[in-house]
Amino acid sequence: MLKRTKLIIGNWKMFKALSTAVNDYKEIVSLLAKKNAECSVGIAAPSLFLSELTKYSSNVVTLFAQNSHWENEGAFTGEISPFMLKDMRIAGSLVAHSERRQMFGETNQTAGKRLGALLKQGMQSVLCVGESLGERENGKLQKVISTQLQVALKFSGLRNSYEFIGSNPDFPLFSVAYEPVWAIGTGRAASAKEAQEAHQFIRRELAAYFNEDTAQKIKILYGGSVKPNNIQNFLSCPDVDGALVGGASLKPSDFVEMIF
Ligand code: PGA
C-alpha cells in the first residue's frame, strides 16, 4: 500500500494579535527544528499576518491562507487572490471551511472555483467537507459529502489528475479535510471508527472521480476537536492522513506535541 506522509495543519482562524502570531510561529519553527518530525506541518494563519510570518519561515512549516478568491485580480473588495498569495510565497489555502459555508455564503460551486484557481497556480489546496449533526442522524452523511466533493471538483474546471497532483506525486497539491460540523470547536470529536468510515468513503469517491492510483495519493485529513490526547487515534486509521487542528493549534507547545 502507498505510504502517504502525514500532514498536520494548524488553523488559527481569527485569533491572535500580530506580535503573538509572530512569537508563536517562531516558537513552532524552533520546536520543530529540534524534533526531526516525520510528518509535514502547516499553519493556516489570518491572511493579514502571512507576509510577516514568511520572514520566519523554514522548511519545517508551510504557510497557508484560510481562504482565497477564484479570480487573480479584480473589483472584489475585501478579498485576496491566489496570485497575491503566490507572490508572497504562501504555499496554498484552505477551501470552504465549514465556518465559511455556514456564515459567509460559501457554496459547493464557489468552493470548486476557489479550488480550481489555486490549483491552476500550482498551489496546495485543502478542500473541507463534512456533514451537520442533523444530516448524520438522518443518514445523509454519504450523500452530503459526495455532493460537496463532486460539485467542487466539477466547478474547479479541472479534470486531469495531474492538475490535482502537481509535479511532486509524494506531496500532491490537492488534499481533502473531513470535518464533521458537529465536532468543530465542540470538544466532541468523531470516534476513530467514524472518521475511518468517512475517509474510506471519500477515498472511494475520489477513485470514482479520478482513478484508484490518484485516490491513493491524495491526503485526507480529519478535523474536529483534535487534541494532543486523541490525535494518535485518528492517525492510526489507514485512511486518515493527517489532521486539521483548530483550538489545539493555538498554543505552540500543544500543537508541536501533536507532531511526531
Ligand atoms: P477545532 O477546529 O479543532 O477547534 O475543532 C477544527 C477546524 O475548524 O478546522
Side-chain angles (χ1 to χ4, degrees):
M1 201 175 84
L2 184 95
K3 183 162 169 11
R4 293 174 292 268
T5 317
K6 305 274 192 215
L7 169 63
I8 309 218
I9 302 178
N11 175 10
W12 283 357
K13 306 194 179 183
M14 196 177 72
F15 287 102
K16 303 181 196 281
L18 177 61
S19 55
T20 319
V22 167
N23 285 337
D24 289 356
Y25 188 72
K26 279 160 77 177
E27 191 178 339
I28 289 170
V29 168
S30 118
L31 289 170
L32 283 175
K34 289 178 213 142
K35 207 161 177 170
N36 203 8
E38 257 177 53
C39 1
S40 308
V41 181
I43 291 287
S47 54
L48 195 58
F49 301 160
L50 288 172
S51 156
E52 188 64 18
L53 296 181
T54 55
K55 294 181 188 161
Y56 308 97
S57 265
S58 79
N59 54 8
V60 290
V61 188
T62 303
L63 278 168
F64 287 83
Q66 298 172 6
N67 188 31
S68 152
H69 199 263
W70 51 84
E71 294 291 345
N72 278 328
E73 61 177 14
F76 300 104
T77 303
E79 293 293 315
I80 55 161
S81 78
F83 164 76
M84 293 169 177
L85 292 169
K86 192 172 184 183
D87 187 49
M88 285 184 350
R89 289 192 281 280
I90 302 306
S93 180
L94 308 182
V95 175
H97 187 279
S98 68
E99 285 150 16
R100 298 218 57 88
R101 291 178 187 267
Q102 285 176 309
M103 292 180 267
F104 303 101
E106 185 80 61
T107 65
N108 293 327
Q109 283 96 324
T110 54
K113 286 162 72 176
R114 291 182 208 284
L115 179 66
L118 283 159
L119 291 169
K120 274 186 208 136
Q121 291 284 341
M123 298 175 75
Q124 289 180 41
S125 319
V126 184
L127 174 68
C128 303
V129 299
E131 80 291 358
S132 68
L133 190 57
E135 288 163 344
R136 174 174 275 266
E137 286 173 351
N138 289 320
K140 299 220 175 87
L141 181 143
Q142 295 197 346
K143 173 100 191 57
V144 168
I145 293 177
S146 172
T147 306
Q148 288 172 333
L149 275 175
Q150 300 288 341
V151 177
L153 290 170
K154 176 167 169 242
F155 274 78
S156 72
L158 309 176
R159 188 66 181 89
N160 292 322
S161 309
Y162 63 81
E163 294 175 289
F164 289 81
I165 298 296
S167 56
N168 181 359
D170 293 332
F171 210 101
L173 295 175
F174 175 56
S175 306
V176 177
Y178 168 63
E179 299 207 301
V181 176
W182 46 272
I184 296 178
T186 58
R188 181 186 162 190
S191 68
K193 183 169 173 283
E194 287 167 332
Q196 169 56 24
E197 277 165 9
H199 283 226
Q200 201 173 32
F201 174 72
I202 290 168
R203 203 173 305 282
R204 274 208 307 271
E205 291 282 292
L206 293 172
Y209 190 84
F210 298 109
N211 52 60
E212 188 57 37
D213 180 55
T214 302
Q216 285 299 329
K217 289 187 179 125
I218 294 171
K219 293 183 211 294
I220 308 173
L221 318 183
Y222 168 77
S225 298
V226 174
K227 309 271 180 244
N229 66 6
N230 65 13
I231 190 164
Q232 280 308 331
N233 302 342
F234 296 111
L235 298 185
S236 57
C237 300
D239 285 293
V240 178
D241 308 313
L244 183 53
V245 187
S249 73
L250 293 173
K251 200 170 151 210
S253 55
D254 284 354
F255 182 60
V256 174
E257 197 184 327
M258 290 185 272
I259 315 291
F260 64 95

